Amino acid sequence: MTWWAHEALNDPGIGHKMSFFWHQYMITTIQTLGSANFFDYLRLMRWGALGNFKKLALKLVTDNVMLKYLNNHDNTKANPNENFAREFLELFTIGKGPQAGPGDYTNYTEEDIVQSAKLLTGFRVNLQRTNIDPETGFPRGVASITQHATGNKTFSPRFQNKTIVGGTNAAGMEKELADYVDLIFAQPETAKHL
């Protein structure tokens, strides 16, 4: 980590500096899953540093370290865990916005958190690092359909009451996730927050 930070701070190019910025923006720690997985996370930050932020946000959801760090690894259909869903909306993408009423934060609602948590169920850490993302070439988590809430997810008027069709297999889970990220990035507030 010290070497990587040194490179980020002293490289005359913008690539390392941007990967350092994204690491500070979407932070995890080396203690989460150890150095090999953390190095994969840092490579992901570098991969997305100068590219499309929406694509980086999508890839971040299935990163092994992020899955563990923000408890999405523990997010199951029987017991949805809202931690990652809340952080993904509030910190990483659209931002909370001023409170407009009970459970309504201008840019999203508490019900949107519930629906997001259900959509994000079933993504699991792959400690063997054998599931390789075809686009990045880096290890990532796996989609476990047995732990996924397969029903449709309907969002609030903050997201135009959009319904995302529930996936019934791993490919369907990936489609749900892509549709979810598209939905968030279609909101003007996401660009304003960034």
Side-chain angles (χ1 to χ4, degrees):
M1 178 66 185
T2 303
W3 168 84
W4 184 82
H6 180 269
E7 289 293 310
L9 295 171
N10 294 299
D11 186 334
I14 191 73
H16 273 301
K17 289 175 177 60
M18 283 305 298
S19 59
F20 187 70
F21 169 79
W22 290 126
H23 166 59
Q24 296 300 304
Y25 189 77
M26 300 178 286
I27 197 161
T28 64
T29 69
I30 196 168
Q31 289 83 13
T32 305
L33 283 178
S35 58
N37 287 290
F38 190 70
F39 184 68
D40 294 336
Y41 158 81
L42 292 177
R43 289 193 307 160
L44 179 62
M45 294 299 104
R46 177 72 173 165
W47 173 86
L50 302 178
N52 183 316
F53 175 59
K54 178 176 150 183
K55 196 171 268 195
L56 176 60
L58 174 66
K59 301 295 183 183
L60 184 71
V61 173
T62 57
D63 176 74
N64 281 314
V65 174
M66 190 59 73
L67 283 168
K68 184 71 172 172
Y69 184 70
L70 288 177
N71 310 109
N72 206 58
H73 177 75
D74 301 321
N75 187 6
T76 67
K77 64 182 177 183
N79 190 22
N81 184 315
E82 297 176 1
N83 191 38
F84 184 72
R86 187 173 304 280
E87 299 297 323
F88 192 72
L89 289 175
E90 183 176 342
L91 299 179
F92 300 165
T93 58
I94 197 166
K96 195 173 186 178
Q99 187 149 355
D104 185 347
Y105 308 109
T106 306
N107 296 342
Y108 61 84
T109 67
E110 280 297 319
E111 185 55 31
D112 293 323
I113 296 290
V114 169
Q115 295 302 306
S116 296
K118 289 178 183 176
L119 189 143
L120 295 168
T121 57
F123 289 99
R124 296 286 171 265
V125 170
N126 180 299
L127 291 175
Q128 295 77 33
R129 302 173 62 237
T130 55
N131 188 35
I132 306 300
D133 184 281
E135 188 172 10
T136 66
F138 307 144
R140 66 178 192 158
V142 295
S144 172
I145 195 65
T146 61
Q147 295 301 318
H148 182 62
T150 57
N152 294 346
K153 287 80 177 178
T154 301
F155 292 84
S156 76
R158 298 293 184 198
F159 291 98
Q160 300 76 48
N161 299 308
K162 173 83 173 173
T163 296
I164 295 178
V165 176
T168 57
N169 56 33
M173 289 173 65
E174 298 286 346
K175 170 89 168 80
E176 262 189 274
L177 179 57
D179 290 347
Y180 175 63
V181 171
D182 284 345
L183 177 64
I184 294 167
F185 277 79
Q187 309 308 310
E189 292 79 9
T190 302
K192 292 175 189 174
H193 179 69
L194 180 59

